[in-house]
Amino acid sequence: MSTIDMDAILAQREEATGSADHFTFTFKAQEWSCTDPITAEDDWKDGLLDMQTDVEVAEYYLGEDQYATFVAAGGRAGYVILAINQYMQKMKQDNEDGRPTRRSTSSAKRRKR
């Protein structure tokens, strides 16, 4: 049975995202920083249970001040939710080597022949 090296996994995530507990996305040529829902502190995750709307969730992920700036730049709560969903999908697709887990379309075409 192999052992999972969490130190290596966390170091790899930090290298891939630039932070062990945040990820960034761009909007209106600005970079925004969200709390990483996977590695966030347990207390932070518990706070999500109190959120009832997308606006509350988006503000929670970005932080109150950054969310206000984001909205002033033309952002919407739904954009933050989309960024979170995209980030989670990307993390799911990357294996421990940081490579996509799905086969490339070119190799799929070769197999068809």
Side-chain angles (χ1 to χ4, degrees):
M1 178 180 223
S2 64
T3 299
I4 296 170
D5 185 348
M6 285 306 299
D7 293 327
I9 291 169
L10 293 173
Q12 182 179 7
R13 286 176 66 82
E14 185 168 359
E15 182 180 331
T17 64
S19 171
D21 57 359
H22 284 81
F23 72 94
T24 59
F25 67 94
T26 57
F27 173 72
K28 298 283 184 173
Q30 292 181 347
E31 193 167 273
W32 308 93
S33 177
C34 276
T35 300
D36 184 327
I38 298 169
T39 59
E41 296 287 334
D42 292 342
D43 289 345
W44 184 90
K45 289 180 182 183
D46 287 343
L48 275 175
L49 299 174
D50 298 331
M51 305 297 124
Q52 296 183 13
T53 67
D54 284 354
V55 172
E56 291 174 324
V57 170
E59 185 176 47
Y60 196 66
Y61 270 86
L62 287 176
E64 191 175 325
D65 292 339
Q66 186 179 204
Y67 183 71
T69 305
F70 180 75
V71 170
R76 300 177 184 172
Y79 299 169
V80 178
I81 303 303
L82 283 171
I84 295 163
N85 288 338
Q86 287 293 312
Y87 174 74
M88 294 297 290
Q89 188 173 31
K90 181 185 181 323
M91 290 296 104
K92 185 177 179 183
Q93 290 173 351
D94 289 353
N95 68 17
E96 66 242 8
D97 292 331
R99 296 185 191 113
T101 56
R102 288 193 253 163
R103 294 181 176 150
S104 71
T105 55
S106 61
S107 63
K109 287 178 187 174
R110 275 194 301 266
R111 284 191 311 276
K112 256 182 148 176
R113 293 181 190 171

